[in-house]
């Protein structure tokens, strides 16, 4: 089916022209529908959540099966909601969805690597694992290579676990790289982007908060100050990371990368 491909932009009834202009001719625009969102349990449509944020970005009178570009939600809905919607694309778009999900997850996980590599600069296994997943997403690596990469990153993080200085960052990097490697070749690939993005945002927030708190005197009188500094640094770093993720996901959804 070509009903959701960019060669048929007229199918996007009521949506802005910029959604289809300037895109590579053969790229696939990922879309969903109200029916698919309901089928997959979107809270905006199935739970007690207020549906207004979703409905406000849709053209009036949109049908149950009219395509909705995922790109239209970026910057207008929560990033987590847009990434979640990757599970609700039509079946003919799942191959492109899986490719995009893996590559975006790799980009998110890669941003946590400095937390590992500042402690273990000579251990490239997590970085090599991410690159293997990238090659797998592009059809350049085998399932066997992916399985070996998953085993390698597990071994790397387990070896690092004995280092007390590493303990604070271990969980964050492990979560991000694990999600990329483990889910990339499984049925969970539709959720790999969401898991890696969340893990990377947590890692950035915690690392920034710790760095800020270390700059505050450690006596008891400073407990309140440290708590305030922690909260501000954490929230700021998380927001910065999520802004980067939003822009990067937009590049993928626009067919730019």
């Amino acid at each position: 089916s070509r009903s959701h491909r960019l060669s048929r932009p007229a199918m996007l009834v009521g949506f802005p022209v910029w959604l289809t202009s300037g895109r590579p001719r053969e790229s696939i625009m990922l879309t969903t529908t109200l029916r698919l969102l309901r089928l997959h349990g979107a809270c905006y449509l199935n739970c007690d959540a207020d549906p207004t944020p979703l409905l406000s970005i849709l053209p009036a009178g949109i049908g149950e099966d009219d395509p909705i570009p995922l790109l239209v939600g970026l910057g207008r809905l929560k990033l987590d909601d847009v990434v979640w919607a990757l599970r609700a694309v039509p079946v003919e778009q799942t191959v492109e969805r899986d490719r995009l999900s893996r590559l975006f997850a790799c980009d998110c996980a890669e941003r946590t690597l400095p937390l590992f590599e500042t402690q273990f600069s000579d251990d490239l296994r997590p970085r090599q694992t991410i690159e293997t997943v990238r090659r797998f997403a592009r059809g350049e690596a085998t399932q066997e290579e992916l399985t070996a990469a998953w085993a390698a990153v597990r071994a790397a993080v387990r070896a690092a676990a004995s280092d007390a200085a590493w303990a604070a960052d271990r969980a964050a990097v492990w979560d991000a790289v694990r999600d990329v490697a483990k889910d990339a070749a499984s049925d969970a690939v539709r959720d790999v982007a969401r898991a890696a993005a969340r893990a990377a945002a947590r890692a950035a927030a915690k690392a920034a908060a710790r760095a800020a708190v270390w700059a505050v005197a450690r006596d008891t009188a400073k407990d309140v100050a440290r708590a305030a500094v922690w909260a501000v640094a954490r929230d700021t770093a998380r927001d910065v990371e999520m802004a980067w993720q939003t822009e990067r996901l937009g590049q993928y959804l626009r067919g730019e990368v």
Side-chain angles (χ1 to χ4, degrees), residues 81-102:
D81 291 337
V82 178
V83 177
W84 176 90
L86 287 167
R87 70 178 62 194
V89 303
V91 64
E92 65 269 20
Q93 295 179 13
T94 53
V95 171
E96 173 61 12
R97 185 273 314 278
D98 290 353
R99 184 193 73 85
L100 181 154
S101 295
R102 292 182 177 111

Side-chain angles (χ1 to χ4, degrees), residues 163-257:
D163 191 312
W166 157 248
D169 294 321
R170 174 177 177 264
V173 179
W174 171 238
D175 283 350
V177 181
R178 175 199 61 193
D179 290 335
V180 168
K182 184 179 179 182
D183 293 344
S186 71
D187 290 339
V189 67
R190 68 185 187 184
D191 298 322
V192 66
R194 191 182 189 205
R198 284 178 165 183
R202 286 195 303 269
K206 289 179 180 178
R210 280 195 303 275
V213 167
W214 286 340
V216 178
R218 293 177 176 274
D219 59 88
T220 305
K222 296 292 185 178
D223 284 349
V224 174
R226 288 203 303 273
V229 168
W230 175 281
V232 171
R234 177 199 60 203
D235 294 348
T236 300
R238 183 182 57 225
D239 291 346
V240 168
E241 185 65 19
M242 292 179 67
W244 179 88
Q245 292 176 1
T246 299
E247 175 58 28
R248 188 60 171 168
L249 181 59
Q251 291 172 346
Y252 280 112
L253 292 176
R254 291 189 294 269
E256 297 172 358
V257 291

